[in-house]
């Protein structure tokens, strides 16, 4: 969850970097948290689907991730053509990880509510 928040935050900070050293720092942190996300993806898939289907689950996740990775750059180019700057594209690219991280924060709460309903 923390990696999602920081990936979104670092994406939104790229337009604010007016010095090359700042851009390097943002990219280092973004790479660190992206690496954390990729590393934790396999254990989570293993826990959710079991040992038999983990390779299929990881392939499915990577396949789903390829859609925004393919469609994002042309959309960023269209935004740049209409607005004259890439800033809006970077700000908009940071929104989905922030929303995803916020949604993931509610999972323990939902899990506890289900346990309470099962007890009653």
């Amino acid at each position: 969850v923390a990696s999602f928040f920081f990936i979104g935050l670092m994406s939104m900070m790229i337009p604010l970097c007016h010095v090359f050293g700042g851009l390097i720092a943002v990219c280092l942190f973004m790479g660190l948290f992206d690496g954390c996300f990729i590393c934790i993806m396999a254990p989570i898939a293993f826990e959710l689907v079991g040992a038999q289907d983990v390779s299929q689950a990881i392939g499915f996740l990577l396949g789903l991730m390829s859609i925004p990775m393919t469609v994002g750059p042309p959309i960023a180019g269209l935004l740049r053509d209409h607005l004259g700057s890439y800033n809006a594209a970077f700000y908009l690219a940071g929104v989905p990880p922030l929303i995803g991280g916020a949604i993931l924060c509610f999972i323990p709460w939902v899990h506890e509510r289900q346990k309470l309903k099962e007890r009653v």
Side-chain angles (χ1 to χ4, degrees):
V1 173
S3 66
F4 270 162
F5 280 124
F6 280 105
I7 288 170
L9 185 65
M10 292 297 124
S11 293
M12 293 177 145
M13 288 184 66
I14 289 174
L16 303 176
C17 296
H18 300 290
V19 179
F20 186 66
L23 181 63
I24 289 174
V26 166
C27 288
L28 283 173
F29 281 113
M30 190 170 183
L32 174 72
F33 291 110
D34 186 52
C36 292
F37 166 69
I38 295 297
C39 288
I40 201 74
M41 190 170 54
I44 290 173
F46 182 83
E47 186 176 323
L48 289 174
V49 299
Q52 294 285 78
D53 298 324
V54 73
S55 61
Q56 185 177 359
I58 292 172
F60 185 72
L61 284 170
L62 292 174
L64 282 177
M65 287 171 51
S66 71
I67 296 169
M69 297 290 189
T70 304
V71 176
I75 292 174
L78 287 173
L79 287 171
R80 195 246 180 249
D81 289 344
H82 288 290
L83 302 175
S85 172
Y86 283 108
N87 291 351
F90 284 111
Y91 293 136
L92 290 173
V95 172
L98 291 174
I99 291 172
I103 290 171
L104 287 173
C105 285
F106 288 108
I107 289 176
W109 178 71
V110 170
H111 189 59
E112 284 297 318
R113 289 197 52 156
Q114 286 179 341
K115 280 185 179 179
L116 287 174
K117 286 182 181 179
E118 289 175 1
R119 289 183 194 161
V120 175

